[in-house]
Amino acid sequence: MFGSQIDVVIADDQELVRAGFRLILGAQPGIRVVGEAVDGVECVELARRLRPQVVLADIRMPRLDGLEVVRQLAGPGVTDPMNVVVITTFDQDDYVRTALRYGACGFLLKDASPGLLVEAVQAAARGDALVSPAVTVRLLRRLEESERGTAPGGAEGVGLSERELDIVRLVAVGRTNQEICDELFLSLSTVKTYLGRIQTKLQARNRVEVAAWAWEHGVVRSGR
């Protein structure tokens, strides 16, 4: 859990992008930008020294790209992983799977609305993940296309109930917890309990990995 203050490090080689994110986040009560990095090496150094609740890292950076930043800060084997949100663009679909496997907890478009940027940072600080529906559907659909028919076991292999599958499908198309509550007529606490069970069964660290699993295993289809 985080307290009243969310510290953020921003890493992007474009000064205008960093300035825009800094202005938006700095104007929010409870969010403080504690560092900015112009490349991946500086980002890793800053993050390890400052230990922010959230790191926003562009995928394309000099010296060390965003994927390697994610691996070093949040990847398998990291003792105290950080919450890294990857800043991406629509022409970078092929990076998504790698970023997920390395431990990214969210994806944010560079032209995301100020509100979505703030929500993504707040979600990441909670250890959750917020991905815009447009990013979720477009990028994870690519996983469905490339993985269809190749993943063994399917939903049956992990023992998800019908209700859990309902929730997985909604997560996979970008629904928030509240929207899942409204659609399935469940309480917020019940949805959170289900999500916890789902993540345990799928061995998923966050809802982004749950969504990726759903697309990879054909639990949700493009026509959803």
Side-chain angles (χ1 to χ4, degrees):
M1 288 293 295
F2 59 89
S4 59
Q5 187 76 49
I6 302 174
D7 290 344
V8 181
V9 163
I10 300 169
D12 195 296
D13 60 335
Q14 297 182 42
E15 185 176 355
L16 284 176
V17 173
R18 295 197 312 274
F21 284 1
R22 180 179 67 248
L23 287 172
I24 293 167
L25 295 175
Q28 295 298 313
I31 298 179
R32 178 178 62 178
V33 177
V34 295
E36 296 180 38
V38 300
D39 61 52
V41 171
E42 186 179 2
C43 175
V44 171
E45 292 172 350
L46 266 179
R48 286 175 174 169
R49 177 163 55 86
L50 300 176
R51 300 299 304 180
Q53 280 82 10
V54 180
V55 176
L56 293 176
D58 186 23
I59 280 187
R60 294 177 178 171
M61 290 189 291
R63 294 210 288 170
L64 204 66
D65 66 24
L67 296 177
E68 184 61 19
V69 167
V70 174
R71 190 189 69 79
Q72 292 193 24
L73 296 180
V78 175
T79 303
D80 190 9
M82 298 186 197
N83 301 311
V84 184
V85 175
V86 173
I87 305 168
T88 184
T89 60
F90 270 146
D91 65 346
Q92 296 172 318
D93 294 359
D94 54 322
Y95 293 130
V96 174
R97 178 172 181 150
T98 301
L100 283 170
R101 297 297 176 259
Y102 283 175
C105 71
F107 296 91
L108 189 70
L109 292 178
K110 281 197 173 182
D111 61 355
S113 68
L116 188 62
L117 171 63
V118 172
E119 288 183 53
V121 167
Q122 291 171 336
R126 293 192 301 268
D128 201 350
L130 185 147
V131 185
S132 107
V135 177
T136 302
V137 173
R138 178 187 166 91
L139 301 190
L140 295 180
R141 184 176 297 160
R142 292 290 294 272
L143 295 180
E144 177 199 24
E145 293 168 354
S146 64
E147 298 284 338
R148 184 180 294 140
T150 66
E156 299 81 6
V158 294
L160 294 179
S161 68
E162 283 303 315
R163 178 57 84 192
E164 288 168 342
L165 284 171
D166 289 340
I167 292 173
V168 166
R169 292 183 186 105
L170 293 174
V171 168
V173 294
R175 298 290 196 274
T176 65
N177 284 358
Q178 188 57 58
E179 288 170 338
I180 294 172
C181 293
D182 296 341
E183 187 156 341
L184 298 181
F185 304 102
L186 298 172
S187 69
L188 187 58
S189 62
T190 299
V191 169
K192 289 180 178 179
T193 298
Y194 272 122
L195 281 171
R197 291 176 186 166
I198 290 165
Q199 287 179 206
T200 298
K201 289 180 179 181
L202 299 182
Q203 297 183 324
R205 285 168 290 187
N206 52 55
R207 70 196 300 122
V208 180
E209 291 189 359
V210 171
W213 179 89
W215 285 99
E216 288 176 358
H217 290 77
V219 173
V220 61
R221 292 298 185 188
S222 302
R224 170 74 173 122

